[in-house]
Amino acid sequence: PSLFQALHQLYYDPNIENKNLAQKWLMQAQVSPQAWHFSWLLLNMDKVPEIQYFGASALHIKISRYWNDIPADQYESLKSQLFTHITRFASGSKIVLTRLCVALASLALSMMPEAWPCAVADMVRMFQAEDSNVDGRARCLALLELLTVLPEEFQTSRLPQYRKGQVRSVLAQECGSVFPLLEQLLQQQDSPGFIKQKVLKCFSSWVQLEIPLMDCENLIQAAFTSLQDPELFDTAVEAVVNAISQPDAQRYVNTLLKLIPPVLGLQEQLRQAVQSGDMETSHGICRIAVALGENHSRALLDQVEHWQSFLALVNMIMFCTGIPGHYPVNETTSSLTLTFWYTLQDDILSFEPDKQAVYQQVYRPVYFQLVDVLLHKAQFPSDEEYGFWSSDEKEQFRIYRVDISDTLMYVYEMLGAELLSSLYDKLGRLLTNTEQPSTWQHTEALLYGFQSIAETIDVNYSDVVPGLIGLIPRISISNVQLADTVMFTIGALSEWLADHPVMINNVLPLVLQALGNPELSISSVSTLKKICRECKYDLPPYAANIVAVSQEVLMKQIHKTSQCMWLMQALGFLLSALQVEEILKNLHSLITPYIQQLEKLADETPNPSNKLAIIHILGLLSNLFTTLDISHHDDDHESTEVKKLPVQQGPNPVVVVLQQVFQLIQKVLSKWLNDAQVVESVCAIFEKSVKTLLDDFAPMVPQLCEMLGQMYSTIPQASAIDLTRQLVHIFAHEPAHFPPIKALFLLVTSVTLTLFQQGPRDHPDIVDSFMQLLAQALKRKPDLFLCSNLDVKAVFQCGVLSLKFPEAPTVKASCGFFTELLPRCGEIAPVGQVVHEDGKVLLQAVLEGVGGQASRSLMDHFAEILFALNKHCFSYLSIWIKEAMQQDGFPSARVSPEQKETFSQQILSRERVNKRRVKEMVKEFTLLCRGLHGTEYTADY
């Protein structure tokens, strides 16, 4: 197509295919040698702006990316052509003008400083020269546009590192030609608003070049003056914030000190904005105060004699934190200030002891005030008002409260135990004051503050927690938010309760009562789970009650699925601490209704609704067995005086239950063997039980292996292999229990090998799990590979096939298999023989992956295989790699014979013993193979 046709298609053709084709063709045209010629033609004044824009863009691409193609003797003519066109477009299309300015900026950056010594001064001079054809204002705007894009183009340019440093310092010196002009334009009475706007934008752009702050002083002061003009306000805020925030600014302490008065001078404007509900203005002023405080608190605190003016700035920021109104509906400013308080605290605590003591005296009261302000801001609005909030606003408010919670937790480091005492005193006064009944919002916020700290900080030493636990039952709970916070606070104190068990009875009734309320589902269930986990040895007296209430809410189906699962985990913790006969009695009453339901469901014809019911019941059992652990495997971290129960005799209660329901589960399976989710749920029950019980699970092994074998032979499913892998892992060193597991392993292997013959491509999940099973077997029980009826050669070939799957997890698992297999070459004869015969095929597959067949994210895993081949089969590898690399165009047509030779030598060099180096070699080579070496794609690699 011709250029104009293609551009017409790109902009006006409704057909998306044609648009894409045109775009592809035009992108190639832009980088072609002809682009130099056609770009200028497209910029003719009789063309429409879209076409002119394309011409200007093509020029920019040529200059910025293909600079080395431009002969040095053409620099000057290119420069003057660009100047001419910019002048021509000064009163033309804005988008084209900007593109031309970017092209000239790019040219200037590439020519500085040798080929174009005073580039910026020249630009200013060129545009200030009288040119009667072009209106002075248009010329002025064009110059400002050019000066604005110059630093921006520098930030994104592809200059090599050494040039970047050189050009940056030249530009920083050249600001002497720019800033006086900007100051003059801002101070002129007759400068129109749009020019001043442009000037402030230009200044914003230049300050990012690390220009000394004192050189920016006059312009910053002028920007402060512009804040009084509503039209310039936003741009002036950006300019001041950018200038103050540049990292280099902290070196200029005197200038920073001079900036405090004008910032404090904005307080009147801030108050008026808050009163009139002008959120934009209050937001902008707050950004300026925070930029100065947050970026430079250390430098300003160091100026001890100026402590009062810095304290005044801190108080201004406190006003912004406590700005009236509810976030995010009436204000969006307070959230900007939170990180300032972290920074200030870190800086104060980093001083040497004497200086720190002085500042602690000044700032402890400030931080106590901050806690009050934050808890006030965390309060919910009235119920009526909250009812009008959108779900998005409610979610933003929730996140804001989490940020406040994190801040309070951080402030605790500064204020310590005194903070908890002050919260406790306030709460006590609030709950015992009969004259003035308080709002629930106030109570909730104080509790929320307490919970924020207790969740992450060990409050065991605190003398106010007993009082708090005593106060909690006095709270009259009138609404959901307050009830939730009461629950979460009790949950946060569960470790404390474990050390003070006499207090459990103060709060447990509240939790059990809340379980019956669907609106408190998450908070009540998670709190009960925490209490059952932390305090299980003190709960036997309450066990019957907890089980009864839990059973009732489960039967009434009050909670969603995931909360039902948590509740079962809670009951598992609770039952773990009882005597075996007690456990069995409770299990019986807890599980029987579900077993009866499951028996009914097992007789029905499979359909979607009874499938959900079956998965739900199986999930409840899995979650119960995840935490029901009478051998106390999870108590190892406890202190020596653990309240251990006497060791139980007889079979484990979980095993007793599993044996009772085993036939029923088999019956369910027989009907649902086709359904991966049901099979997965069945496997999960046993997998969770094996993980928790470990060797106590042994009595179940024979029947489980038999069932898994039948299942897998009928319809192979990945979850069955995963469970087999779990059994291999746990019982590998138990000769008494291993025979049935060995038989199962061999059966799964032979069934999977048959699957490979029929075509494994539709089952990446099975192949993935199978590779993980083989790797586990090699790790825990390598002599399985000595079995006469294990076809090691076929298994090896399956592994090679799996390396070529498109699914990354499957390829990763296959790499893991070979990484375990290759080190066994020496000790397991069948493995050694297969690697000797077929190792070359494996290497070929690995090199294909590296050559571009596999995802780049997998290269480290392929490197592991090369590393293992190197370590365990070096003499073969050196022959195989030579032969493989001799194939034409292998592993990629993009690499030359020399590059292939270099890679082979690197892999076989002395560095092969360093795994990190081998990974680097593979990364380097894969980029060459993909044609990505040295491109921008490699930057994040």
Side-chain angles (χ1 to χ4, degrees):
S2 80
L3 249 182
F4 294 112
Q5 269 177 314
L7 282 164
H8 194 273
Q9 263 181 344
L10 177 66
Y11 290 121
Y12 306 113
D13 194 323
N15 180 334
I16 196 81
E17 292 284 301
N18 294 350
K19 268 189 195 308
N20 290 343
L21 279 170
Q23 185 165 19
K24 223 173 182 168
W25 188 86
L26 286 165
M27 282 171 82
Q28 285 164 337
Q30 276 185 321
V31 300
S32 68
Q34 292 77 33
W36 285 120
H37 175 63
F38 72 65
S39 299
W40 301 111
L41 295 177
L42 297 181
L43 282 164
N44 270 346
M45 289 320 242
D46 58 354
K47 302 282 183 281
V48 291
E50 287 90 339
I51 286 179
Q52 295 170 333
Y53 178 82
F54 182 79
S57 283
L59 280 173
H60 172 239
I61 286 172
K62 293 302 263 185
I63 294 170
S64 61
R65 295 192 203 167
Y66 300 94
W67 176 249
N68 296 335
D69 299 353
I70 307 174
D73 58 4
Q74 287 184 21
Y75 292 170
E76 285 308 315
S77 73
L78 187 54
K79 183 162 76 177
S80 67
Q81 271 181 295
L82 281 167
F83 268 124
T84 310
H85 276 83
I86 288 174
T87 315
R88 202 172 287 161
F89 275 92
S91 33
S93 161
K94 173 83 179 64
I95 55 167
V96 182
L97 173 67
T98 301
R99 271 281 141 240
L100 286 167
C101 288
V102 172
L104 180 57
S106 186
L107 179 83
L109 294 172
S110 295
M111 288 174 69
M112 276 180 199
E114 295 82 8
W116 190 358
C118 304
V120 181
D122 283 359
M123 292 174 184
V124 174
R125 208 176 42 254
M126 291 283 290
F127 282 95
Q128 284 183 322
E130 283 304 319
D131 179 341
S132 52
N133 303 336
V134 181
D135 161 50
R137 271 188 189 164
R139 265 210 323 277
C140 179
L141 276 175
L143 171 61
L144 287 172
E145 182 63 29
L146 177 58
L147 293 175
T148 305
V149 299
L150 186 64
E152 290 167 3
E153 180 66 9
F154 170 75
Q155 305 290 4
T156 56
S157 68
R158 301 170 176 210
L159 295 170
Q161 215 40 54
Y162 78 95
R163 283 273 298 142
K164 262 205 143 149
Q166 192 185 21
V167 173
R168 182 194 297 274
S169 60
V170 172
L171 282 172
Q173 284 159 0
E174 292 240 30
C175 81
S177 318
V178 179
F179 283 10
L181 169 72
L182 299 183
E183 285 169 33
Q184 183 195 340
L185 288 171
L186 274 182
Q187 280 150 7
Q188 270 174 7
Q189 290 306 312
D190 60 342
S191 284
F194 61 88
I195 295 255
K196 288 186 175 176
Q197 187 110 15
K198 228 29 237 156
V199 169
L200 289 166
K201 278 196 175 135
C202 184
F203 173 51
S204 262
S205 176
W206 275 78
V207 289
Q208 292 173 35
L209 294 171
E210 288 176 24
I211 289 164
L213 192 64
M214 51 197 201
D215 297 346
C216 306
E217 219 175 292
N218 294 346
L219 278 168
I220 295 176
Q221 295 292 358
F224 269 111
T225 313
S226 308
L227 290 168
Q228 303 307 317
D229 180 341
E231 192 189 348
L232 301 178
F233 182 82
D234 291 345
T235 325
V237 168
E238 285 308 319
V240 174
V241 168
N242 286 342
I244 295 176
S245 306
Q246 46 160 331
D248 191 47
Q250 60 205 27
R251 303 210 329 253
Y252 304 93
V253 179
N254 289 333
T255 307
L256 290 173
L257 287 168
K258 280 189 209 166
L259 291 176
I260 294 181
V263 173
L264 295 175
L266 298 170
Q267 290 181 95
E268 192 40 48
Q269 192 180 353
L270 173 61
R271 280 200 190 86
Q272 284 171 356
V274 169
Q275 259 168 352
S276 62
D278 173 359
M279 279 159 74
E280 277 70 30
T281 301
S282 48
H283 197 84
I285 294 176
C286 171
R287 279 185 60 202
I288 292 175
V290 169
L292 183 57
E294 198 175 309
N295 288 297
H296 306 297
S297 67
R298 175 76 210 210
L300 292 168
L301 282 168
D302 266 329
Q303 308 303 305
V304 182
E305 64 282 12
H306 294 278
W307 69 273
Q308 281 164 307
S309 72
F310 184 60
L311 182 59
L313 177 68
V314 172
N315 284 326
M316 179 176 176
I317 295 174
M318 180 78 79
F319 176 80
C320 297
T321 305
I323 209 158
H326 285 288
Y327 181 94
V329 177
N330 324 102
E331 63 93 6
T332 51
T333 300
S334 55
S335 60
L336 302 178
T337 63
L338 296 180
T339 32
F340 164 73
W341 299 108
Y342 284 74
T343 311
L344 178 63
Q345 178 176 316
D346 285 345
D347 289 337
I348 291 171
L349 297 180
S350 68
F351 284 124
E352 76 277 352
D354 295 351
K355 198 167 183 179
Q356 191 178 315
V358 173
Y359 274 129
Q360 284 264 17
Q361 238 177 335
V362 176
Y363 282 101
R364 270 178 79 84
V366 173
Y367 272 87
F368 273 112
Q369 186 194 345
L370 174 68
V371 171
D372 289 345
V373 167
L374 290 176
L375 291 177
H376 182 71
K377 293 297 292 181
Q379 284 189 26
F380 278 89
S382 70
D383 295 333
E384 189 185 2
E385 202 181 326
Y386 193 61
F388 286 118
W389 285 18
S390 68
S391 58
D392 187 40
E393 286 166 339
K394 288 178 179 172
E395 177 57 11
Q396 281 183 351
F397 181 59
R398 187 191 67 77
I399 295 167
Y400 174 68
R401 278 174 46 107
V402 171
D403 293 340
I404 287 181
S405 171
D406 292 344
T407 312
L408 289 170
M409 188 185 84
Y410 204 76
V411 168
Y412 180 82
E413 193 188 342
M414 177 108 156
L415 301 180
E418 210 182 317
L419 171 54
L420 290 180
S421 311
S422 103
L423 289 175
Y424 171 64
D425 291 343
K426 289 189 175 117
L427 192 63
R429 281 203 298 278
L430 207 61
L431 294 176
T432 50
N433 182 349
T434 42
E435 264 84 276
Q436 283 177 303
S438 59
T439 62
W440 70 263
Q441 284 89 341
H442 202 158
T443 310
E444 189 279 334
L446 283 170
L447 265 185
Y448 182 69
F450 222 107
Q451 173 213 326
S452 303
I453 295 161
E455 248 173 352
T456 39
I457 283 154
D458 177 11
V459 292
N460 273 355
Y461 63 84
S462 167
D463 48 1
V464 301
V465 177
L468 176 70
I469 299 260
L471 281 177
I472 285 178
R474 300 185 59 152
I475 297 172
S476 67
I477 296 180
S478 49
N479 87 330
V480 174
Q481 284 92 357
L482 176 59
D484 260 337
T485 302
V486 169
M487 282 305 116
F488 285 128
T489 306
I490 296 172
L493 295 171
S494 55
E495 285 181 41
W496 185 90
L497 287 167
D499 291 336
H500 306 81
V502 296
M503 305 296 274
I504 291 175
N505 203 24
N506 270 32
V507 291
L508 188 59
L510 290 175
V511 179
L512 294 178
Q513 189 190 347
L515 275 184
N517 183 345
E519 290 188 290
L520 304 179
S521 180
I522 292 178
S523 60
S524 61
V525 175
S526 68
T527 296
L528 182 66
K529 184 178 155 185
K530 280 182 177 170
I531 292 176
C532 289
R533 186 180 64 215
E534 300 300 335
C535 312
K536 61 183 170 195
Y537 298 114
D538 303 296
L539 292 178
Y542 313 105
N545 195 9
I546 296 174
V547 172
V549 174
S550 303
Q551 258 183 295
E552 187 187 348
V553 300
L554 283 166
M555 282 298 134
K556 285 187 184 162
Q557 297 181 335
I558 284 176
H559 301 289
K560 292 203 173 100
T561 304
S562 51
Q563 276 70 52
C564 293
M565 302 305 159
W566 291 357
L567 190 48
M568 278 301 201
Q569 289 179 20
L571 294 172
F573 286 125
L574 173 75
L575 297 181
S576 305
L578 303 181
Q579 297 294 336
V580 167
E581 51 280 13
E582 280 296 303
I583 297 179
L584 285 168
K585 206 168 76 188
N586 278 297
L587 278 177
H588 181 73
S589 71
L590 194 58
I591 291 176
T592 305
Y594 292 111
I595 301 305
Q596 288 166 349
Q597 265 179 298
L598 199 57
E599 280 168 341
K600 249 194 6 237
L601 291 163
D603 289 332
E604 293 174 12
T605 317
N607 68 46
S609 77
N610 58 23
K611 168 181 163 172
L612 282 177
I614 288 173
I615 289 177
H616 183 74
I617 293 172
L618 296 173
L620 292 174
L621 295 177
S622 296
N623 279 282
L624 178 62
F625 297 156
T626 304
T627 53
L628 208 173
D629 175 18
I630 58 170
S631 58
H632 314 300
H633 294 118
D634 61 343
D635 291 339
D636 304 341
H637 62 275
E638 297 273 346
S639 57
T640 42
E641 34 114 56
V642 167
K643 313 166 203 174
K644 279 259 173 120
L645 300 173
V647 174
Q648 311 285 350
Q649 296 305 313
N652 186 297
V654 173
V655 173
V656 174
V657 173
L658 284 175
Q659 284 174 328
Q660 285 168 357
V661 298
F662 197 79
Q663 278 179 307
L664 173 58
I665 288 177
Q666 274 183 302
K667 184 176 175 184
V668 171
L669 256 186
S670 61
K671 285 212 174 165
W672 290 90
L673 256 185
N674 271 320
D675 191 294
Q677 285 170 299
V678 175
V679 172
E680 206 173 304
S681 304
V682 168
C683 290
I685 290 186
F686 294 106
E687 194 180 356
K688 297 282 188 352
S689 309
V690 173
K691 273 186 179 164
T692 312
L693 301 181
L694 303 174
D695 15 354
D696 286 356
F697 188 81
M700 291 296 303
V701 167
Q703 56 201 117
L704 179 59
C705 287
E706 189 185 350
M707 181 178 91
L708 279 174
Q710 289 167 352
M711 257 167 71
Y712 196 75
S713 316
T714 321
I715 295 179
Q717 305 263 20
S719 47
I721 309 184
D722 295 335
L723 182 48
T724 307
R725 184 179 86 232
Q726 198 72 44
L727 291 169
V728 169
H729 174 67
I730 287 171
F731 291 101
H733 304 304
E734 302 270 349
H737 307 302
F738 203 69
I741 297 175
K742 175 178 174 178
L744 174 63
F745 172 78
L746 293 170
L747 175 74
V748 166
T749 303
S750 79
V751 171
T752 313
L753 291 177
T754 314
L755 187 80
F756 264 90
Q757 286 162 353
Q758 296 158 355
R761 272 301 304 114
D762 301 335
H763 307 287
D765 55 335
I766 291 182
V767 175
D768 180 346
S769 294
F770 181 54
M771 290 296 139
Q772 291 188 52
L773 170 66
L774 295 172
Q776 183 69 269
L778 285 159
K779 203 183 279 179
R780 301 281 293 167
K781 196 82 175 154
D783 47 1
L784 281 170
F785 280 70
L786 289 167
C787 299
S788 53
N789 47 355
L790 180 74
D791 187 342
V792 178
K793 194 178 180 74
V795 166
F796 187 93
Q797 286 162 341
C798 291
V800 173
L801 266 177
S802 314
L803 282 177
K804 302 181 181 183
F805 269 50
E807 291 81 6
T810 307
V811 179
K812 185 176 158 187
S814 321
C815 291
F817 160 60
F818 285 115
T819 313
E820 290 294 340
L821 181 88
L822 294 167
R824 309 283 177 197
C825 280
E827 62 192 85
I828 300 177
V831 171
Q833 191 183 343
V834 169
V835 172
H836 172 55
E837 291 166 11
D838 293 349
K840 188 179 166 188
V841 189
L842 169 62
L843 178 69
Q844 180 94 5
V846 169
L847 291 173
E848 276 171 23
V850 174
Q853 293 300 312
S855 151
R856 264 169 49 200
S857 64
L858 293 162
M859 289 308 114
D860 278 357
H861 302 287
F862 280 107
E864 298 261 4
I865 299 183
L866 280 173
F867 181 76
L869 279 168
N870 235 326
K871 193 168 175 181
H872 304 284
C873 340
F874 181 67
S875 49
Y876 294 137
L877 179 65
S878 41
I879 302 163
W880 295 335
I881 198 165
K882 243 192 204 87
E883 292 175 2
M885 291 298 200
Q886 276 166 357
Q887 308 166 75
D888 270 350
F890 179 86
S892 154
R894 289 197 176 90
V895 281
S896 65
E898 296 75 38
Q899 288 170 321
K900 294 202 282 189
E901 176 60 26
T902 307
F903 176 65
S904 308
Q905 282 175 352
Q906 277 184 327
I907 286 290
L908 301 169
S909 71
R910 298 253 292 281
E911 287 199 278
R912 67 174 193 275
V913 296
N914 178 340
K915 194 182 282 186
R916 190 179 53 81
R917 270 298 292 134
V918 174
K919 288 180 178 178
E920 283 168 10
M921 295 167 194
V922 168
K923 274 186 180 169
E924 193 80 4
F925 189 60
T926 197
L927 290 171
L928 288 169
C929 290
R930 295 163 200 262
L932 296 174
H933 201 271
T935 65
E936 60 207 278
Y937 288 110
T938 57
D940 54 349
Y941 189 43

